[in-house]
Amino acid sequence: MFLGSKAVCNQFRNSGFCSYGTSCKFPHEGNSRDQVKYRSGRKFFAKYPSFAYDKGRGVAEEFYRMCDFFKWGRQDEERDIARQAFKDAMVIRFNSLYGTDVADLGNWHKLCVAVCIDPLPATIPGCKEKIKDVHVNLVDLVDNSVQDVELFTCLDELREYTIETGKFFPKESAYAGGVLKFLLREIL
C-alpha cells in the first residue's frame, strides 16, 4: 500500500455493510456483499465438480438444475444428502452476512438495511419491532442473483411465492438461530 492511500473499510469488505455508512473514514469499494454471496454458493457447488455452477442464476434454481443434471429423483438418497448440505450452506451464508449475535446492534442494522427499513431504529428492541412485520423470502435474501429483494405485504403472499418458486429456507437447520430466527415464518 502506498502512503496516503486509504485501506478499504474492513466491515464493508467482509460483509458488504458498514455501520458508519457514508460517514465512514474508509472507502467502500466494489460490491463485497455479492462477493461473499458468490463465494458461499461456489463453495457448496464445488462439492459437485462435474456440475457447472452458474453464479448468474439463483442458488435455488441452480440446486434444482443440479438435481436434474445428476438425474436425482425426489426419493434419491443422494438428493437428500445434497439438499441438507445446501440448506446448511444457506444458513451459514445468512449468518455470515447478517450475524448471529442478537445482542449486537450492528447485526440488526445489517438486517434492517437488507429489508429496506429506514430510518434505522436506534435500539435492538426497535429493530425487532420493525423486523416482526417483514415478510421476505430468505432464500432470495441470501441469493447472489437477486438484486432487489421483494418484500411481501402479508404472510399469505410470502407463502404463495415460496410454494410457487420452491424457495424454502431451512428453519430446522442446526445452524439456525441468532437474528435469523426473527425472520423465519411458518410457510406450510
Side-chain angles (χ1 to χ4, degrees):
M1 181 187 318
F2 295 101
L3 219 51
S5 67
K6 285 189 169 186
V8 175
C9 171
N10 282 332
Q11 274 189 59
F12 186 81
R13 185 181 67 238
N14 295 333
S15 68
F17 171 82
C18 173
S19 57
Y20 297 103
T22 56
S23 63
C24 182
K25 63 182 181 177
F26 297 102
H28 297 167
E29 296 175 359
N31 193 340
S32 298
R33 187 168 184 255
D34 285 346
Q35 292 168 6
V36 168
K37 287 179 181 180
Y38 171 63
R39 284 193 305 266
S40 299
R42 184 181 64 198
K43 189 173 182 179
F44 166 77
F45 289 105
K47 296 175 186 174
Y48 304 92
S50 60
F51 175 73
Y53 171 58
D54 181 350
K55 70 178 183 176
R57 292 181 164 182
V59 291
E61 179 184 0
E62 282 298 273
F63 177 79
Y64 293 125
R65 191 171 74 82
M66 185 179 80
C67 291
D68 291 343
F69 175 83
F70 288 115
K71 297 178 176 43
W72 291 334
R74 292 190 183 268
Q75 304 304 317
D76 284 344
E77 184 179 352
E78 288 176 285
R79 180 187 172 119
D80 290 342
I81 292 167
R83 184 164 188 74
Q84 187 56 52
F86 178 67
K87 287 178 176 185
D88 289 345
M90 283 196 297
V91 173
I92 291 167
R93 178 184 298 177
F94 182 96
N95 290 342
S96 72
L97 291 170
Y98 305 110
T100 58
D101 183 358
V102 295
D104 182 346
L105 182 60
N107 289 341
W108 287 99
H109 280 172
K110 286 187 264 188
L111 192 54
C112 287
V113 167
V115 296
C116 305
I117 293 174
D118 187 36
L120 291 177
T123 65
I124 291 173
C127 292
K128 287 180 182 179
E129 184 65 29
K130 293 287 188 176
I131 294 284
K132 77 175 187 174
D133 295 326
V134 171
H135 303 290
V136 62
N137 184 276
L138 296 178
V139 175
D140 286 348
L141 194 59
V142 298
D143 199 337
N144 64 317
S145 69
V146 178
Q147 299 302 318
D148 295 317
V149 176
E150 184 174 357
L151 300 176
F152 299 92
T153 59
C154 65
L155 182 57
D156 288 337
E157 284 182 9
L158 172 60
R159 182 176 289 125
E160 184 179 322
Y161 172 83
T162 301
I163 292 169
E164 182 180 301
T165 60
K167 294 179 177 181
F168 291 91
F169 199 86
K171 73 175 189 171
E172 73 285 347
S173 173
Y175 299 105
V179 295
L180 171 59
K181 67 183 174 187
F182 291 91
L183 274 177
L184 289 171
R185 305 289 184 258
E186 193 68 41
I187 298 299
L188 296 177

